[in-house]
Amino acid sequence: EVQLVESGGGLVQPGGSLRLSCAASGFAFRDYDMHWVRRPTGKGLEWVSSIGPAGDTYYPGSVKGRFTISRENAKNSFYLQMNSLRAGDTAVYYCAREGKGDYNDAFDIWGQGTMVTISS
Amino acid sequence: SYEMTQPLSVSVALGQTARITCGGNNIGSKDVHWYQQKPGQAPVLVIYRNNNRPSGIPERFSGSNSGNTATLTISRAQAGDEADYYCQVWDSSTQVFGGGTKLTVL
């Protein structure tokens, strides 16, 4: 079964750090672009970062310089290191797979989400 | 950066047709994907590349994209279709979501 499972969410004080993990199974992980997407409470979906098979990374301006995405193909896993966290980063964080071929640029597989709360 | 506009909410009577729009500058030149998200659940891809349904998605879901507007159409709306719906495109090495539309089935 194709599956993504997030872990690492929790409560952190403003200015703190947190590392999220996403474990993949059921597909050739090393061949896919992988993403993090978040949904702040009461708001819509927001793309957070992506990493290609070769390790190329991309971020929106809202997290660039604070968040770092990485991957470990040998462990079928990728990560999101979040630093200098702010209240506005409070959200459910999802990991997602970008499809290939006809599904290129679409997120065809999603994890169940992990909650990150930034509060003092 | 590219922006897309969705109505905050759309209501549809049970069994009727709902249309959710996604507006953007020349969006017709891009591939638009649509997601359904129910409370407490992860998003689900319901339309990819403008008008294609993944396996397992009912034929009642369809999409179109032309000019400055992409549209998700849900025919014969059911109570189980109540959810938030998001459009998404790729633009300049970034992924962009519309603001989302809450669909209510009356």
Side-chain angles (χ1 to χ4, degrees):
Chain A
E1 179 190 5
V2 176
Q3 196 173 9
L4 297 173
V5 179
E6 303 97 337
S7 60
L11 173 64
V12 179
Q13 292 188 340
S17 299
L18 201 61
R19 188 193 195 212
L20 306 182
S21 300
C22 180
S25 59
F27 65 97
F29 173 76
R30 65 178 62 249
D31 293 339
Y32 284 81
D33 288 74
M34 304 301 298
H35 299 253
W36 289 97
V37 176
R38 68 185 180 186
R39 183 171 183 182
T41 304
K43 296 186 177 182
L45 296 175
E46 179 186 7
W47 172 72
V48 173
S49 63
S50 69
I51 186 165
D56 45 317
T57 60
Y58 300 91
Y59 308 90
S62 58
V63 307
K64 198 168 188 177
R66 300 189 300 123
F67 290 10
T68 302
I69 189 172
S70 61
R71 66 191 298 160
E72 203 168 354
N73 290 338
K75 293 187 176 181
N76 287 339
S77 296
F78 71 111
Y79 312 96
L80 185 68
Q81 177 66 42
M82 304 185 292
N83 298 330
S84 303
L85 284 162
R86 311 164 178 166
D89 297 318
T90 295
V92 177
Y93 284 72
Y94 299 96
C95 58
R97 185 183 83 171
E98 180 180 328
K100 300 181 79 66
D102 285 348
Y103 287 81
N104 194 38
D105 293 326
F107 303 125
D108 63 348
I109 303 295
W110 295 70
Q112 83 286 355
T114 187
M115 184 71 205
V116 172
T117 303
I118 312 304
S119 175
S120 54
Chain B
S1 60
Y2 193 77
E3 295 183 356
M4 296 182 293
T5 301
Q6 296 183 236
L8 282 176
S9 63
V10 168
S11 297
V12 61
L14 188 68
Q16 297 305 301
T17 297
R19 293 178 179 84
I20 298 172
T21 58
C22 177
N25 184 36
N26 198 26
I27 197 172
S29 67
K30 301 180 180 297
D31 284 333
V32 178
H33 315 293
W34 290 91
Y35 302 87
Q36 175 194 70
Q37 187 176 30
K38 297 180 180 180
Q41 299 184 19
V44 173
L45 179 68
V46 294
I47 293 289
Y48 65 96
R49 283 181 60 220
N50 305 314
N51 55 15
N52 297 278
R53 280 177 293 103
S55 60
I57 301 301
E59 291 183 7
R60 301 184 297 103
F61 287 80
S62 62
S64 64
N65 185 18
S66 178
N68 292 320
T69 304
T71 302
L72 172 68
T73 300
I74 306 171
S75 304
R76 303 182 298 283
Q78 301 178 359
D81 297 333
E82 277 207 349
D84 294 325
Y85 290 85
Y86 297 88
C87 55
Q88 176 247 323
V89 302
W90 177 91
D91 179 78
S92 302
S93 299
T94 66
Q95 304 286 353
V96 184
F97 287 97
T101 298
K102 180 176 180 58
L103 178 67
T104 300
V105 180
L106 305 172

